[in-house]
Amino acid sequence: TLEPLYIITPTYRRPEQIPELTRMSHTLMLVKNIHWLVIEDANVATKQVTRLLERTGLKFDHLTAPMPEKYKQKKGAKPRGVSNRNRGLQWIRANATDGIFYFADDDNTYDITLFDEIRKTKRVSMFPVGLCTKFGLSSPILKNGKFVGFYDGWIAGRKFPVDMAGFAVSVKFLLERPNATMPFKAGYEEDGFLKSLAPFEPRDIEFLAGNCTKVLAWHTQTKKNDPSAPLDMKLYGNTNLI
Ligand code: UDP
Ligand code: MN
């Protein structure tokens, strides 16, 4: 029997939301025994997102977890998707007993073989992420199969300088750590979460994707769109599209 994979996806309302989730859902539909936790940074779930999820035939839960007002007001970098991911962790603690979870942003690109890799996770696994930071890659570095450090364009004093899409965690491992949580600290979300999994050290990492020789996830970013044209539909009496 295949262990369940819990995919924790933060998302928020914007013109790109449905296209991003459509693309991502079509990836997940090719993978067995997925449970998709889609968590919106909002007070109310978006109806169109629920409909999309229902159409996929995937096991899913559609939850909401708004970013606290004090972070929303803040100028500069905000802790994006942190409320959502912590809500996902709370769901796992309440509902899951085994399997593996993975934080998968809605705008990234995933090779379906990544999910076969992630399923091998016993405690915490790591693997490369392409198109990440100015180096174009974020990855553990292995020399002759031995871990020697991290390659990342933004080390910034982090113990675990990795991308959100670059690691997976076993549910049992999380359940043994009741205090593990993601901090509301822009740029340090991954590091803070991985440190909160103590006792857990770099020597404990399980390396996947051919000992980190294959890129199976990309930190792609969709350009912002400003669709004003559909408003013209009003002139033609078609209000369905708005
Ligand atoms: N996100 C969110 N609320 C926001 C901004 C982003 O829930 O106000 C989600 C977004 O949908 C994505 C994740 O948080 O799944 C990371 O955001 P983004 O992709 O914008 O960050 P970046 O790629 O720049 O790290
Ligand atoms: Mn992104």
Side-chain angles (χ1 to χ4, degrees):
T1 55
L2 274 184
E3 296 227 66
L5 284 189
Y6 297 97
I7 307 298
I8 299 177
T9 299
T11 185
Y12 68 114
R13 264 186 101 132
R14 62 202 191 282
E16 300 81 17
Q17 182 178 39
I18 294 295
E20 301 287 27
L21 291 172
T22 297
R23 191 161 54 116
M24 189 172 175
S25 71
H26 290 189
T27 301
L28 297 181
M29 283 159 74
L30 296 168
V31 186
K32 292 202 171 62
N33 208 7
I34 289 274
H35 191 131
W36 199 9
L37 302 174
V38 176
I39 306 142
E40 283 196 77
D41 179 353
N43 292 304
V44 189
T46 304
K47 191 169 72 219
Q48 288 87 340
V49 172
T50 311
R51 284 210 208 99
L52 186 158
L53 292 171
E54 284 165 353
R55 281 205 295 136
T56 63
L58 289 163
K59 254 184 281 175
F60 74 86
D61 276 81
H62 185 191
L63 308 169
T64 57
M67 183 187 295
E69 211 50 50
K70 62 175 169 188
Y71 301 113
K72 248 191 260 182
Q73 306 293 339
K74 250 184 63 179
K75 278 201 278 289
K78 294 181 181 58
R80 285 176 294 203
V82 173
S83 277
N84 329 34
R85 295 190 199 94
N86 280 325
R87 180 68 189 86
L89 292 175
Q90 186 192 340
W91 188 98
I92 297 229
R93 291 187 193 283
N95 298 284
T97 53
D98 59 358
I100 294 114
F101 71 88
Y102 177 55
F103 294 121
D105 288 354
D106 60 358
D107 56 339
N108 292 339
T109 304
Y110 307 95
D111 184 311
I112 55 169
T113 62
L114 173 69
F115 302 97
D116 301 329
E117 287 296 304
I118 285 176
R119 236 188 270 273
K120 299 173 187 167
T121 307
K122 298 286 174 236
R123 296 177 302 274
V124 180
S125 62
M126 292 193 184
F127 33 87
V129 178
L131 297 179
C132 203
T133 75
K134 60 182 183 220
F135 288 2
L137 177 74
S138 174
S139 178
I141 307 165
L142 278 77
K143 279 221 168 91
N144 304 319
K146 254 185 69 88
F147 172 74
V148 295
F150 292 99
Y151 183 84
D152 190 286
W154 193 70
I155 299 293
R158 294 183 293 170
K159 179 173 183 178
F160 299 102
V162 300
D163 186 68
M164 200 62 77
F167 65 93
V169 182
S170 120
V171 167
K172 286 207 165 79
F173 189 85
L174 177 80
L175 297 180
E176 289 161 4
R177 288 156 176 80
N179 297 321
T181 183
M182 188 170 289
F184 284 89
K185 202 175 164 198
Y188 294 86
E189 294 93 339
E190 298 89 345
D191 190 45
F193 174 70
L194 290 164
K195 282 177 176 163
S196 82
L197 293 176
F200 167 65
E201 294 298 324
R203 64 171 170 274
D204 303 320
I205 303 168
E206 300 149 52
F207 301 101
L208 299 179
N211 255 350
C212 296
T213 58
K214 291 179 197 155
V215 175
L216 301 174
W218 292 265
H219 191 268
T220 43
Q221 292 183 298
T222 305
K223 80 168 175 65
K224 293 260 174 276
N225 292 267
D226 181 12
S228 47
L231 294 178
D232 297 342
M233 290 291 184
K234 252 192 201 142
L235 303 174
Y236 300 98
N238 186 346
T239 51
N240 294 330
L241 290 167
I242 309 169

